[in-house]
Amino acid sequence: MSTSTGSSRRVLEKGPSGWLAAPALVFFLLFAIIPLFGVLFLSFTKWDGLGEIKLDGLSSWTTVLTDPVTGNALWVTAKIMFFSFIVQAPLSLLLGVFTSASQKYRAALAVLYFVPLLLSSAAVAIAYKALLDPNFGLGPGLGLPFLAQDWLGNSDLVLFVVVFVIAWQFVPFHTLIYQGGVRQIPASLYEAAQIDGAGRVQQFFAITLPQLKYTIITSSTLMVVGSLAYFDLVFVLTGGGPGYSTRLLPLHMYLTGFKANDMGAASALGVILVVIGLALALLLQRLGGKNRNASQLEGA
Amino acid sequence: MVKLALRSAAIAVTAAAVSISLAACGSSGPASSAGNADSATMWGLTGGNQPVLQKSIDAWNKAHPDEAVKLDFFANDAYKTKVRTAVGAGQGPTFVYGWGGGVLKSYVDAGQVADLSDFVASNPDVKNRYLPSVLKNGVIDGKTYALPNNNVQPVVLYYNKEVFDKIGAQAPKTWDELMALVPKFKAAGIAPFSLGGQSKWPDLMWLEYLVERIGGPDVFANIAANKPGAWSDPAVKEALSKIQNLVDAGGFANGFSSIAADSNADQALLYTGKAAMILQGGWIYQSMKKDAADFVKNGKLGYVTFPAVSGGKGDPANVVGNPSNFWSISSKATDSQKKAALDYVKSGMFTDADTQALIDSGAVPVTTGIESKLAASPDKDFLSYVYGMAKNAPSFTLSWDQALSPAQGDAMLANLDQIFLKKISPDQFVSTMNATIGK
C-alpha cells in the first residue's frame, strides 16, 4: 500500500510520462517541421511549379525583400492585426463576462450569438460580398443610400470592412474563451467583495480582470498570431484588392506562388511569415510572466 | 458533464464520418460511373460549355466503354491554379484544358504535354475541321501541342438597346463618340460601362483593344516576343491615359473594382439596365441567354466591335480575345490513356451533335463549314456576327494574360488594376512592366 502511494506521488511530482506526447510529436514532425525545412530549401531555388527545381542562391530572397509589394503586404498585415485586436479584444471580454452569468435569457442570447462560429470563412465572405454589393446589395435593396457605399471597392474603406467581417466571425470564439475563464473564477471572491461593499464595476476591475490575466494572454495570442493567417476570408471577399489594399502577407504568398508561379519567392515569404508568427507568440508568452504555467486555482 | 462531453464527441465523429462520405460522393460524381483506374481523365470548366462537354463525353463513353473518359469540372480561376499544381505534382489529368500562348509554352518547356504533330499529320480530317487561324494558337516552335476544343471567343462591346433608346443615342463607332456618351448616360442616372474589376482580367480587355486600335498588332507582338523595352511603345502609354480619362469621366459603374466577373455580376448590370455597355468576351452571350432569356430573345441586346481611335494605326476589324480553348494531352499519361484521348480527339469531339449543341448554347464552334447551321439557329444574328468577326479579322490577338508567361501576366493584371484605380501613372506602369520582360 505504502509503496503504491509513494510511486503515484512521484508520478504527480514528475508530471505525466513524456511518451504521452509521442503521437503529437510524430504528427508535428511530419506535417510541420519537415515541410518547414522543405519551404526553407525551396526559398533558395527557382521553380515555376511545373519544371525542374533549380538552385538559385539568394535571388528569391532579394526579389522578395526588394519588392515594394512585400513591404506593403507587411504593412497591411500589421494594420489588420492592430485594428482587429483593438476591436475584438474588448468586445469579446465584455461579451464573455456578460454571457457567463446563468440567467436563461443570457443563455439564449449566447446560443444565437455563437452562430457565426459555425459558418465557414468562405460562406461568410460570399454572404458579405453579396450584402455589400453597391449595385445589388443591402443598401440599394433596402433603399438606404448610406449603406450603398462601395464598401469593397474603396481603397480607404475596404480595410475596415475586412476588420469588421473578421470581428463578426471571430468575436464569438474569443467570447467563448472568456466565458470559460470567468466561470473559473471562484464565487467566494465575489461574495467577499460584496460583503466589503464593492459595486459591480469595482468587482469587474478588482476581481474579474486580474483573474482573467492568463485568459487574456491566451486569447490575445490566438488573435494576434491568428491574424497572420487570415487568408480564406480575405481571398474570397476582396481577392487582396482593390489594388494592393488588402493584400495580406499570406495572400501575397499564395498569389506569388500560385498565380505568378514563383514558388521560390513564395517560399521565402512563407519563411518570413513563420518567423514573424513565432516571434509574436514568444513575445506574448513573455508578457504572461515567469510563473505563467502555475495554476491559479485555490488549493492546487 | 462527462456524459455530455462523450455525447458531443460522438456527434462530432458522426458528423465527420458523414462529411467524409459526402465528400466521397462529391469526388466520384456522375462522370465516374464509367471508367476504371487507367481511364483517361479530363478536367473541364464549369459554366458556358459545361453541358455541351458533358453530353459529348457521355455519348463517347456509351459508344466506347473500353476507352471511357472520366470527366470532372472546376470553376475557371480555381481550375487554373489546381491544374498547374496537379501537373507539377504528377497528378494531372490526361486532357489538359488550356488557352494556348505563354501558359501553354510553360507546359511545353517543362515537358508536360505531348507533341501532337505526328497525330495531326496522319489525321488530315482533324486538321481540316478547324479554322486555320484558330488552329495555329496550339502550335509552339512549329509543333502542335494543343487542339481547339470549343468555340471562338472574341471580345465584343455589348450594349443595352433599351437604355440607348431612352436617351436617344447610337452605339459608338469611334473613341470620341464613346467619350461623348459618358456624360449623357450619367445625366440619365445610368452607368455608361459595367466592369468586373475585382477579377482584374476584364480590365485587360480595355488595354488590349486600345493598344490594338492605336498601335496595331505589332505592339503586343513585340511584347510577347520579349523584346527589351517593348512596353515603352507610345501606343501603350496613350491607351493607359485613355483608360484613366474614362475613369475620370465616371465611365465605369459605381464600385466597379469590387464587382467580380466570375459571379456574372457585371453582366447583370447590363441586362438590368443599370449600365449601358460592357466590354466582355463572346462567352457571356451564352450565360446571358440563360440568365436573362427575355432580354436576349426580345432583341434588347446590341453588340458592336470596339470603336476606332482617330489617328490610330490598327485596322478596326482587328480582334482580341480567345480564339478557342484547347486540349493538350499529358505526356505523363499511360499509353492506354493517351490512345483513348487521341481517339476521342479524332472521332469523339466536334461530332455533328457536339457542334449543334455548341450552336444551340449560343456559341460559335471553331470548325469549318458551319455557316448553314449558324443560319438556322435562333441566335443567328449574334452567331453569324461573331463568326464573321473572327473569320474576317486581319489579326486575332490572344488575350494577353494567356499569351505572356504566368509571372508577366500576373504582374500586368496587378498593375493594370492600379491604373484603373489611378494609384499609378502610365509611366510607372510602363517602367514596371519593362522590368518583367523575359521573366
Side-chain angles (χ1 to χ4, degrees):
Chain A
M1 270 310 255
S2 65
T3 44
S4 86
T5 331
S7 76
S8 71
R9 178 165 294 157
R10 238 185 349 263
V11 166
L12 269 181
E13 276 162 8
K14 280 208 282 187
S17 159
W19 288 106
L20 290 179
L25 279 176
V26 168
F27 279 109
F28 189 65
L29 194 73
L30 268 177
F31 295 110
I33 302 295
I34 294 176
L36 198 61
F37 280 101
V39 166
L40 195 63
F41 167 73
L42 276 183
S43 73
F44 296 106
T45 63
K46 183 126 197 80
W47 186 36
D48 67 354
L50 274 185
E52 268 178 84
I53 304 176
K54 287 185 216 114
L55 275 172
D56 201 28
L58 287 171
S59 81
S60 291
W61 282 94
T62 37
T63 314
V64 163
L65 294 176
T66 54
D67 185 1
V69 180
T70 309
N72 181 70
L74 274 169
W75 177 230
V76 172
T77 309
K79 279 197 282 188
I80 294 219
M81 194 183 284
F82 174 76
F83 285 115
S84 38
F85 181 77
I86 290 290
V87 171
Q88 290 184 50
L91 258 181
S92 16
L93 176 63
L94 292 173
L95 282 166
V97 172
F98 174 74
T99 54
S100 64
S102 56
Q103 291 101 324
K104 261 199 183 138
Y105 82 94
R106 293 199 195 187
L109 268 183
V111 167
L112 270 183
Y113 186 69
F114 289 132
V115 165
L117 205 57
L118 304 174
L119 303 174
S120 87
S121 299
V124 170
I126 291 171
Y128 267 98
K129 204 168 158 172
L131 289 174
L132 296 172
D133 187 301
N135 298 297
F136 300 103
L138 208 53
L142 297 174
L144 299 170
F146 72 97
L147 270 180
Q149 305 277 344
D150 184 13
W151 298 109
L152 298 173
N154 181 332
S155 323
D156 303 321
L157 212 56
V158 66
L159 191 89
F160 299 99
V161 176
V162 168
V163 167
F164 173 82
V165 179
I166 288 173
W168 187 84
Q169 197 192 2
F170 289 106
V171 164
F173 172 70
H174 293 283
T175 302
L176 204 59
I177 295 181
Y178 281 114
Q179 190 191 55
V182 173
R183 286 182 176 165
Q184 294 284 317
I185 302 174
S188 55
L189 291 178
Y190 291 101
E191 283 158 12
Q194 234 162 3
I195 293 170
D196 289 345
R200 284 186 168 239
V201 178
Q202 238 180 327
Q203 284 180 24
F204 175 76
F205 282 106
I207 301 171
T208 313
L209 215 49
Q211 289 286 320
L212 282 177
K213 185 179 170 195
Y214 298 113
T215 314
I216 293 174
I217 289 164
T218 307
S219 158
S220 303
T221 308
L222 288 174
M223 244 178 232
V224 169
V225 179
S227 62
L228 280 178
Y230 293 149
F231 167 78
D232 36 9
L233 188 89
V234 183
F235 180 59
V236 179
L237 195 63
T238 68
Y244 294 113
S245 34
T246 54
R247 193 153 159 152
L248 294 158
L249 202 56
L251 193 56
H252 182 47
M253 175 181 79
Y254 171 82
L255 294 173
T256 307
F258 294 101
K259 284 273 192 264
N261 298 321
D262 189 344
M263 295 296 171
S267 302
L269 287 166
V271 173
I272 295 175
L273 204 55
V274 169
V275 169
I276 296 177
L278 282 178
L280 280 172
L282 280 176
L283 186 79
L284 283 158
Q285 285 297 303
R286 275 285 153 85
L287 292 178
K290 273 195 178 150
N291 59 343
R292 59 190 173 276
N293 290 327
S295 169
Q296 276 175 286
L297 282 183
E298 284 173 305
Chain B
M1 210 46 206
V2 172
K3 212 171 162 187
L4 193 71
L6 272 179
R7 224 179 72 193
S8 42
I11 292 171
V13 169
T14 321
V18 169
S19 60
I20 288 166
S21 54
L22 280 179
C25 290
S27 65
S28 52
S32 68
S33 49
N36 53 53
D38 199 34
S39 300
T41 49
M42 175 186 270
W43 292 357
L45 293 193
T46 54
N49 290 320
Q50 182 178 0
V52 179
L53 182 57
Q54 182 73 61
K55 245 193 268 175
S56 170
I57 291 294
D58 286 347
W60 170 261
N61 286 350
K62 210 171 159 195
H64 305 82
D66 50 328
E67 291 194 320
V69 174
K70 189 175 173 304
L71 173 63
D72 286 301
F73 288 101
F74 302 92
N76 187 326
D77 277 1
Y79 166 80
K80 284 177 184 165
T81 311
K82 186 181 169 77
V83 71
R84 204 178 169 88
T85 315
V87 169
Q91 306 280 325
T94 314
F95 288 90
V96 180
Y97 190 91
W99 287 258
V103 177
L104 174 62
K105 188 170 183 300
S106 69
Y107 280 88
V108 172
D109 289 345
Q112 296 285 6
V113 290
D115 180 358
L116 304 177
S117 307
D118 292 344
F119 170 76
V120 173
S122 56
N123 290 286
D125 286 358
V126 171
K127 190 179 176 185
N128 293 337
R129 77 175 168 225
Y130 294 111
L131 296 173
S133 61
V134 175
L135 187 65
K136 72 168 200 280
N137 285 281
V139 177
I140 286 182
D141 298 332
K143 291 178 185 162
T144 303
Y145 289 97
L147 289 170
N149 64 7
N150 51 24
N151 51 316
V152 61
Q153 302 151 3
V155 174
V156 178
L157 182 59
Y158 299 89
Y159 64 98
N160 183 327
K161 284 184 183 167
E162 223 168 11
V163 301
F164 266 75
D165 287 347
K166 201 158 116 191
I167 69 157
Q170 296 289 316
K173 290 199 177 62
T174 66
W175 185 258
D176 296 334
E177 285 178 26
L178 180 149
M179 289 300 286
L181 283 177
V182 170
K184 287 186 193 159
F185 278 115
K186 284 192 71 181
I190 297 162
F193 286 98
S194 174
L195 178 67
Q198 194 185 84
S199 306
K200 296 193 177 85
W201 53 261
D203 296 355
L204 182 60
M205 298 175 172
W206 285 92
L207 181 65
E208 287 166 348
Y209 259 130
L210 278 167
V211 169
E212 171 64 57
R213 291 290 184 263
I214 296 165
D218 293 343
V219 181
F220 182 70
N222 288 335
I223 292 169
N226 281 322
K227 292 199 180 153
W231 286 95
S232 300
D233 193 294
V236 175
K237 212 186 284 180
E238 196 188 331
L240 293 167
S241 307
K242 282 196 155 48
I243 288 173
Q244 292 194 327
N245 289 344
L246 187 55
V247 174
D248 280 339
F252 297 104
N254 179 21
F256 70 83
S257 56
S258 60
I259 298 172
D262 289 1
S263 57
N264 295 347
D266 55 341
Q267 305 161 32
L269 283 175
L270 180 79
Y271 59 71
T272 53
K274 289 182 200 276
M277 295 172 267
I278 186 171
L279 185 65
Q280 252 287 17
W283 58 87
I284 74 164
Y285 185 85
Q286 281 171 292
S287 43
M288 282 197 284
K289 188 172 139 86
K290 216 169 76 217
D291 295 344
D294 288 342
F295 177 75
V296 174
K297 202 164 55 194
N298 298 337
K300 290 177 186 163
L301 179 69
Y303 33 84
V304 285
T305 46
F306 193 81
V309 174
S310 58
K313 279 188 267 182
D315 189 323
N318 285 345
V319 171
V320 305
N322 299 332
S324 174
N325 294 113
F326 294 84
W327 288 132
S328 296
I329 309 294
S330 166
S331 57
K332 302 286 188 294
T334 63
D335 287 344
S336 67
Q337 286 173 330
K338 275 186 196 159
K339 183 176 178 301
L342 288 176
D343 284 348
Y344 169 75
V345 167
K346 196 161 96 182
S347 46
M349 67 187 223
F350 289 119
T351 58
D352 281 350
D354 277 9
T355 307
Q356 193 58 49
L358 266 175
I359 292 172
D360 291 344
S361 78
V364 178
V366 287
T367 48
T368 47
I370 51 167
E371 284 86 345
S372 62
K373 282 182 183 157
L374 292 180
S377 160
D379 303 299
K380 65 174 187 295
D381 292 343
F382 180 78
L383 297 182
S384 315
Y385 174 76
V386 165
Y387 191 65
M389 194 175 171
K391 212 172 136 188
N392 304 327
S395 152
F396 195 137
T397 302
L398 172 63
S399 295
W400 295 4
D401 53 344
Q402 293 299 322
L404 297 176
S405 76
Q408 283 174 292
D410 185 61
M412 175 179 66
L413 291 179
N415 282 287
L416 187 59
D417 187 27
Q418 303 279 81
I419 285 282
F420 273 80
L421 292 164
K422 300 211 60 201
K423 295 268 181 196
I424 59 171
S425 69
D427 283 320
Q428 283 169 302
F429 179 93
V430 167
S431 64
T432 314
M433 287 315 296
N434 273 334
T436 68
I437 279 183
K439 279 196 182 167

